[in-house]
Amino acid sequence: MKERLEEIAVVIFLLIIGIPLSILFLPFIILFSIFDFFQRKRFKKRYINYLSSIEGKKFFCFNTRKNGHHYIEKNVIPKLADDIEYIFMEGKNLKSAYTREYISHMLSTISDRKGFPYLIKINNGKVLNKSLNSQFYNFKSQNKNSDDLIILINDNFNKLK
């Protein structure tokens, strides 16, 4: 019985403190929500403009995974077609000549989340993407010719529509 009274006292205390605090902070929460809404709207507009400015670009994205990183740098990057640019993710740091904010957003919205490497193509203001994770590691583990992997990469870019 005593424990029950203590629980009731704690609930009443939290209500007495919680209600005034929530009323006090409600205007700040509303202002923050409005500010956040317009920030997102502004970012989306800038992002759409950015996608228009890089229309037709193709990106090969890879990360620092030990068993693939060095292979990609040695066997894939030098053989990529001239119109394919690479984006390197070193942990959370993005290594690219493009605007980090937009490329990070692009990578965070990848629909085919099976793992790096990813192919990204900008087509008609939209980001098209594909994961080459399973194909890449099959090629690597079977010691297949890296030229065949380049052909696979180019074929997958052509299929992105």
Side-chain angles (χ1 to χ4, degrees), residues 61-66 69 87-95 100 104 107 116 118:
C61 309
F62 66 104
N63 63 357
T64 57
R65 187 169 170 183
K66 290 179 187 177
H69 169 242
I87 296 173
F88 175 57
M89 290 291 299
E90 187 173 25
K92 291 189 177 193
N93 294 327
L94 182 71
K95 308 287 183 185
R100 179 182 178 170
S104 294
L107 287 170
F116 284 94
Y118 290 113

Side-chain angles (χ1 to χ4, degrees), residues 145-159:
N145 188 350
S146 61
D147 292 336
D148 293 335
L149 181 60
I150 298 300
I151 292 169
L152 177 73
I153 290 170
N154 291 330
D155 287 345
N156 278 291
F157 269 122
N158 291 333
K159 289 178 185 175

Side-chain angles (χ1 to χ4, degrees), residues 2-44:
K2 186 178 179 182
E3 292 175 5
R4 184 93 169 144
L5 288 174
E6 288 176 0
E7 289 176 4
I8 292 173
V10 168
V11 169
I12 291 173
F13 176 75
L14 289 175
L15 286 174
I16 291 171
I17 298 297
I19 292 173
L21 281 178
S22 63
I23 292 171
L24 179 67
F25 287 111
L26 188 61
F28 295 110
I29 293 169
I30 291 171
L31 285 174
F32 177 76
S33 298
I34 292 169
F35 177 75
D36 186 53
F37 171 77
F38 286 110
Q39 282 287 93
R40 288 179 196 227
K41 192 173 181 177
R42 204 170 331 145
F43 175 80
K44 188 175 180 180

Side-chain angles (χ1 to χ4, degrees), residues 39-151:
Q39 282 287 93
R40 288 179 196 227
K41 192 173 181 177
R42 204 170 331 145
F43 175 80
K44 188 175 180 180
K45 185 177 180 180
R46 290 190 329 251
Y47 181 66
I48 290 169
N49 290 336
Y50 184 74
L51 290 179
S52 296
S53 73
I54 61 170
E55 178 67 33
K57 292 286 185 185
K58 298 175 185 176
F59 300 102
F60 178 82
C61 309
F62 66 104
N63 63 357
T64 57
R65 187 169 170 183
K66 290 179 187 177
N67 58 354
H69 169 242
H70 297 295
Y71 180 85
I72 289 172
E73 284 187 338
K74 183 179 176 186
N75 299 309
V76 176
I77 298 297
K79 296 178 182 179
L80 285 176
D82 292 338
D83 64 336
I84 300 174
E85 301 188 37
Y86 68 90
I87 296 173
F88 175 57
M89 290 291 299
E90 187 173 25
K92 291 189 177 193
N93 294 327
L94 182 71
K95 308 287 183 185
S96 173
Y98 292 88
T99 307
R100 179 182 178 170
E101 177 183 24
Y102 301 124
I103 299 297
S104 294
H105 181 72
M106 197 181 302
L107 287 170
S108 71
T109 59
I110 287 179
S111 59
D112 187 19
R113 287 210 173 267
K114 294 179 184 168
F116 284 94
Y118 290 113
L119 302 180
I120 296 177
K121 181 178 180 180
I122 312 302
N123 191 16
N124 294 326
K126 294 186 179 178
V127 178
L128 308 173
N129 54 65
K130 174 148 180 66
S131 172
L132 283 184
N133 187 280
S134 59
Q135 294 102 323
F136 171 74
Y137 286 104
N138 284 340
F139 264 87
K140 188 175 174 305
S141 67
Q142 295 172 9
N143 291 322
K144 291 184 178 179
N145 188 350
S146 61
D147 292 336
D148 293 335
L149 181 60
I150 298 300
I151 292 169

